Amino acid sequence: MSIRHPIAVFLCMVMAMSLVWSKALLSIFPVVFALFTAIDIEIEPFRVKWVLTPKNIIGIIPYKPFILVLSLYFFLFVVSIVYAGNLSEWWKLTHPKFPFLLIPLGFAMLRPFTRKEYMYITLCMILMAIWSSIWVQVAFYSNHYLFSQSLGFGGSLPTPINHIRYSVVVALSMIICLAFAIEDWKLKYTWERWAYGVAAVYLFYFLHILSVRSGLALAYAGIFLLVIFYSQKLVRWKQLALLALIILAPFMAYKLIPGFEQKVNYTIYDLGQFKQDQGTAYSDSERWDSWRAGITIGNRHPFFGTGTGHFRAELEKYYKEELHKETWTRPHNQFINVFAEFGLVGLTVFLFVLLYPMIFRSFWQLPLMCTLYIMLLFSMLVEHPLDTEIGTVMFLLITVLGLSYLDGLEKGFNISTLKNSA
């Protein structure tokens, strides 16, 4: 009996927990995961066999191209060494992209993940999101007035990781719980459906306490997408209930949650300041300046971009000479980052990587999987998650895990999971 797959499931569970728990483990465990998927360990009789051979890799490419295609993003950085110039800077931007090689390759070497394995892994992320939310709220309500005022000036609550990444984790967890409840997915007990429903409502409420616009926007987008995808499966009253939630929730949150009200007012004020060219010190204005910087730099090197070795130096130069600022930030948009670094050629490759899995019929087989994927793509419009460790592992784990499960459905490994309806 081989224990390679159970070990891989356990490692994925740890990575899912580490999205909130430990940044260090996010650096270590993709390597550990790839190593254990490359070694087949059998018990009775005990035998260890190296399976990551060129022959095996070539053999799985025709069967799992939708997973392995994600590795092309890593090779985009590798190939860019040709015109990187500054090799030290090239390495700084390239080595964090190794998970794009390690995680897809590891999943491709394994058999498809089952529904229970998918649930075990995602529930690890959900439980950590719920547990951490308690402590965030303890801090918030301990200094309620102070933090409410801070949100009104563009601040954020104390969170275990970057507040934007954290809000995305919470939003994804909320949508997963909602889909589990709708689909009546359970590990064992009949009461689980109610537990997932309550968890979804609680996390939705918590997102409004957190008042991070990226997470809130993704949550509403996710609910809206589920309504669309489940339009044929949900009875009419459930469709209307979800639509009413989308429409009424922000108005109720604005009236009932002072911190959320302050955040909305700050956004409106920030937009007005930016229109008057007086938004230098405000977070939204900084985001829009970063977009302009990335597009301008990309337009100066339209075909192949600045190259990874010169990208940050070009940004710093633009901020100092054009915006007259001593501090600079990467464009808060993943696509603009890729365009500035690799030009239209690299952007074309990147778009192919993201769109390729969506052309397969199995991708649209389950609403949860395509909703999560589209939410992750939406997050790239206002942030650059793939340039952070947490964002990279979160994108790869949620995406590749879902693709692996869908691959099992396509091949008949999980055929019973299609029998449930809302």
Side-chain angles (χ1 to χ4, degrees):
M1 180 185 71
S2 174
I3 61 173
R4 181 170 63 129
H5 196 86
I7 291 176
V9 172
F10 171 75
L11 294 175
C12 287
M13 291 170 67
V14 175
M15 282 193 284
M17 295 175 66
S18 299
L19 292 173
V20 175
W21 176 29
S22 172
K23 186 177 179 179
L25 291 180
L26 290 178
S27 301
I28 298 170
F29 268 70
V31 179
V32 177
F33 174 77
L35 180 62
F36 274 97
T37 55
I39 301 173
D40 189 21
I41 304 175
E42 293 188 7
I43 300 176
E44 295 181 3
F46 179 77
R47 185 177 67 173
V48 178
K49 180 182 178 182
W50 182 263
V51 296
L52 189 62
T53 62
K55 180 180 178 181
N56 285 343
I57 294 174
I58 294 172
I60 62 175
I61 289 176
Y63 296 98
K64 299 184 179 181
F66 46 87
I67 292 178
L68 291 173
V69 72
L70 295 170
S71 299
L72 289 178
Y73 185 55
F74 167 74
F75 288 108
L76 194 60
F77 282 81
V78 173
V79 172
S80 71
I81 193 176
V82 175
Y83 62 104
N86 187 330
L87 294 182
S88 175
E89 191 67 17
W90 169 82
W91 178 246
K92 285 180 183 178
L93 296 181
T94 300
H95 83 268
K97 302 300 183 295
F98 269 98
F100 273 92
L101 174 66
L102 301 175
I103 293 178
L105 185 58
F107 270 91
M109 296 295 294
L110 298 166
R111 63 172 172 79
F113 278 48
T114 65
R115 177 203 281 184
K116 281 196 172 183
E117 290 166 347
Y118 181 90
M119 293 185 71
Y120 280 132
I121 295 167
T122 53
L123 284 173
C124 284
M125 179 182 74
I126 292 167
L127 290 174
M128 288 302 298
I130 293 174
W131 175 249
S132 61
S133 72
I134 296 172
W135 298 107
V136 172
Q137 290 182 85
V138 167
F140 173 65
Y141 287 113
S142 297
N143 297 279
H144 184 264
Y145 178 79
L146 176 64
F147 283 121
S148 293
Q149 293 300 310
S150 174
L151 291 172
F153 290 99
S156 61
L157 301 185
T159 53
I161 56 175
N162 174 275
H163 64 284
I164 296 175
R165 307 285 169 265
Y166 182 66
S167 71
V168 175
V169 170
V170 176
L172 293 173
S173 299
M174 185 272 291
I175 291 298
I176 293 171
C177 286
L178 183 58
F180 284 178
I182 292 173
E183 290 278 1
D184 194 18
W185 283 15
K186 52 183 176 286
L187 293 173
K188 184 176 181 181
Y189 302 103
T190 55
W191 51 260
E192 287 183 47
R193 184 175 198 173
W194 290 101
Y196 298 139
V198 171
V201 173
Y202 167 75
L203 291 173
F204 188 65
Y205 144 81
F206 175 64
L207 279 167
H208 290 83
I209 294 293
L210 202 58
S211 296
V212 178
R213 288 160 297 180
S214 299
L216 281 168
L218 288 181
Y220 282 102
I223 295 172
F224 183 72
L225 287 169
L226 285 181
V227 170
I228 294 174
F229 289 131
Y230 281 120
S231 60
Q232 300 300 319
K233 299 179 68 175
L234 286 176
V235 295
R236 183 65 62 188
W237 74 267
K238 290 183 180 180
Q239 294 179 24
L240 294 175
L242 287 174
L243 285 173
L245 180 66
I246 296 174
I247 296 170
L248 296 178
F251 293 101
M252 294 178 63
Y254 184 82
K255 293 295 184 181
L256 300 175
I257 304 175
F260 181 75
E261 179 186 0
Q262 295 275 31
K263 198 74 168 186
V264 173
N265 293 340
Y266 168 80
T267 301
I268 296 172
Y269 176 76
D270 192 352
L271 178 60
Q273 293 296 104
F274 180 76
K275 288 182 177 179
Q276 299 174 25
D277 292 324
Q278 297 177 5
T280 304
Y282 301 98
S283 59
D284 286 329
S285 299
E286 290 181 355
R287 174 178 281 111
W288 296 323
D289 280 340
S290 74
W291 292 355
R292 184 164 53 189
I295 293 172
T296 301
I297 292 171
N299 286 335
R300 292 173 181 172
H301 313 272
F303 296 108
F304 297 103
T306 63
T308 46
H310 301 292
F311 174 57
R312 297 202 292 187
E314 290 272 354
L315 268 178
E316 184 177 9
K317 181 180 177 182
Y318 178 87
Y319 268 80
K320 287 182 178 180
E321 295 182 358
E322 303 290 335
L323 301 179
H324 308 292
K325 293 183 178 180
E326 291 300 318
T327 58
W328 56 273
T329 181
R330 294 182 67 127
H332 289 253
N333 180 297
Q334 192 68 56
F335 303 96
I336 295 176
N337 271 270
V338 173
F339 172 58
E341 288 176 295
F342 305 110
L344 292 173
V345 173
L347 182 60
T348 301
V349 173
F350 183 62
L351 291 174
F352 172 76
V353 167
L354 296 181
L355 296 176
Y356 183 73
M358 301 173 73
I359 69 173
F360 290 86
R361 182 169 58 90
S362 60
F363 176 86
W364 305 99
Q365 202 163 355
L366 284 176
L368 173 59
M369 307 306 175
C370 43
T371 296
L372 293 176
Y373 190 70
I374 294 172
M375 288 173 66
L376 290 168
L377 296 188
F378 281 167
S379 72
M380 297 181 192
L381 296 175
V382 292
E383 289 297 328
H384 52 99
L386 304 186
D387 297 311
T388 67
E389 286 181 319
I390 295 172
T392 294
V393 176
M394 178 166 50
F395 171 78
L396 289 172
L397 187 62
I398 295 295
T399 297
V400 183
L401 178 62
L403 291 174
S404 178
Y405 175 65
L406 291 173
D407 184 43
L409 287 179
E410 186 76 8
K411 292 179 170 59
F413 285 97
N414 300 291
I415 201 70
S416 61
T417 65
L418 295 177
K419 297 179 181 179
N420 288 323
S421 60

